[in-house]
Amino acid sequence: MVETTGIHHVTAIGGDPTRNAAFYVETLGLRLVKRTVNHDDTNTYHLYFGDGAGTPGTNITFFPWTDDGRQGEFGAGQTQYTAFSVPEGSLSYWADRLADHEVDAERLELFGEERLRFTDPDGIGLELVAEAAERPGPTWDDSPVPATHQIRGFAGVTLALADPNVTAGVLESIGYGRVAEDDDDGATVTRYDTGADGIGTWVDLVATDAPRGRMGVGTVHHVAFRLADEAEQHAMQETLEAVGMDPTEVIDRKYFTAIYAREPEGVLFEFATMGPGFDADEPVESLGERLALPEWLEDEREAIEAALPDFEPPRPAAASEASADD
């Protein structure tokens, strides 16, 4: 039996890629660490945003569909909130920053943790949670957010489900344990945690009467969990099969390998390895500056680039902005 230590990445479906990147880089201060394509649909970008090196546990990734892409509908079997970890004492900074960028945010407390709740430009639910956790990787020197307040990675995710007890059984099989319950505006939220050190260790479950959600712009595509290597992935396949799930074979995603399985309540889970990492095809200093393609797509580069939608990379941060905000 193998267990995960927490979240590896979260992948969502956005709209316009320029708007998407501007929000996550220029507003939230994350680094565009990889600009590649969806390996299963090479007409679509796959953009990764994370810490200074794209450390596992810090990356929110997007398949940005163009403005005529199908709009998603939130419902049962989907991620309701993706929560990022920020240093304790940083929420006032972030409240001011979000207001300055015309992002409406609600301040609340859940499980004894202060947080800000808001949505990105496509309607994806986000939270910033102030917690005592160590940063797993480097800060980003060119971020518009000063290092003392930068997002460290994930805190956790909240899954909305028709029957949370079913998903709870799956989580328990992969290393999560039930630790607490709390009330979120009348809804009972149950927390499951791996108990591991570091970030991205919890998953919150909440019941919803909403019909099954529809995948599209403004929804989360899947939640990925950390595993060390392919040996652990093969062990996880056996674990998932034992609880009635149907995992895929190991798939090479260039920067990690992955297996996928949809849990019974509808959430797509991925289990991704910690390496080889985003510096497999470009140096850390220039991550995300060019379109990176795996070697099996390199011969198609000209056609792929011609088919991709217009994309204006986010502006580099002005050093004066970061120092002024510190």
Side-chain angles (χ1 to χ4, degrees):
M1 181 175 178
V2 65
E3 298 180 343
T4 179
T5 58
I7 295 170
H8 184 282
H9 66 268
V10 174
T11 294
I13 300 174
D16 176 73
T18 297
R19 182 182 64 184
N20 173 261
F23 179 79
Y24 284 91
V25 175
E26 296 171 12
T27 300
L28 294 190
L30 298 174
R31 184 182 184 186
L32 174 60
V33 292
K34 189 61 62 175
R35 187 190 319 179
T36 184
V37 295
N38 182 343
H39 293 174
D40 303 315
D41 175 13
T42 59
N43 292 340
T44 302
Y45 276 113
H46 193 175
L47 306 178
Y48 292 73
F49 306 95
D51 70 3
T55 308
T58 75
N59 301 298
I60 187 166
T61 93
F62 284 89
F63 303 134
W65 293 358
T66 53
D67 289 339
D68 59 353
R70 184 182 73 181
Q71 189 67 34
E73 293 182 3
F74 174 77
Q78 290 187 337
T79 301
Q80 185 173 20
Y81 303 113
T82 298
F84 293 108
S85 172
V86 297
E88 289 183 308
S90 290
L91 283 192
S92 292
Y93 165 85
W94 277 105
D96 291 342
R97 181 173 184 82
L98 292 174
D100 289 344
H101 286 261
E102 300 182 342
V103 177
D104 293 329
E106 174 190 6
R107 192 161 185 163
L108 66 152
E109 184 176 307
L110 200 62
F111 295 105
E113 301 160 335
E114 289 189 283
R115 66 189 61 204
L116 292 169
R117 180 176 290 171
F118 55 100
T119 62
D120 80 355
D122 292 303
I124 292 171
L126 301 173
E127 294 179 331
L128 298 177
V129 180
E131 60 177 16
E134 291 190 16
R135 184 180 299 279
T139 57
W140 180 33
D141 291 344
D142 291 330
S143 175
V145 176
T148 52
H149 298 304
Q150 282 180 28
I151 289 171
R152 292 179 293 200
F154 294 110
V157 293
T158 301
L159 307 181
L161 309 154
D163 186 353
N165 291 326
V166 174
T167 305
V170 175
L171 290 176
E172 288 168 349
S173 75
I174 65 172
Y176 284 82
R178 184 182 181 279
V179 294
E181 278 189 359
D182 206 347
D183 179 86
D184 184 6
D185 196 25
T188 299
V189 183
T190 306
R191 172 156 295 183
Y192 289 78
D193 200 294
T194 65
D197 293 332
I199 62 168
T201 63
W202 55 258
V203 173
D204 288 350
L205 305 183
V206 61
T208 179
D209 294 329
R212 183 64 66 94
R214 186 180 75 170
M215 193 64 62
V217 175
T219 63
V220 170
H221 188 271
H222 63 264
V223 177
F225 299 95
R226 302 189 288 263
L227 292 178
D229 50 33
E230 285 191 43
E232 288 198 353
Q233 285 176 324
H234 290 302
M236 182 60 74
Q237 287 172 325
E238 296 179 0
T239 296
L240 297 173
E241 289 168 353
V243 295
M245 296 172 66
D246 185 22
T248 67
E249 294 301 313
V250 175
I251 300 172
D252 185 359
R253 296 303 191 194
K254 178 65 177 181
Y255 312 109
F256 47 85
T257 61
I259 62 172
Y260 301 84
R262 194 173 297 278
E263 57 86 34
E265 288 296 291
V267 183
L268 181 60
F269 286 170
E270 176 183 342
F271 298 85
T273 56
M274 298 295 284
F278 292 125
D279 59 354
D281 57 1
E282 54 186 353
V284 172
E285 294 76 17
S286 57
L287 289 176
E289 294 181 5
R290 60 183 289 273
L291 179 67
L293 296 176
E295 52 272 15
W296 60 87
L297 292 177
E298 192 59 52
D299 289 346
E300 304 174 43
R301 175 176 287 274
E302 185 175 351
I304 288 172
E305 290 182 336
L308 286 169
D310 292 338
F311 175 56
E312 184 68 29
R315 298 182 313 237
S320 59
E321 179 186 355
S323 60
D325 288 338
D326 199 349

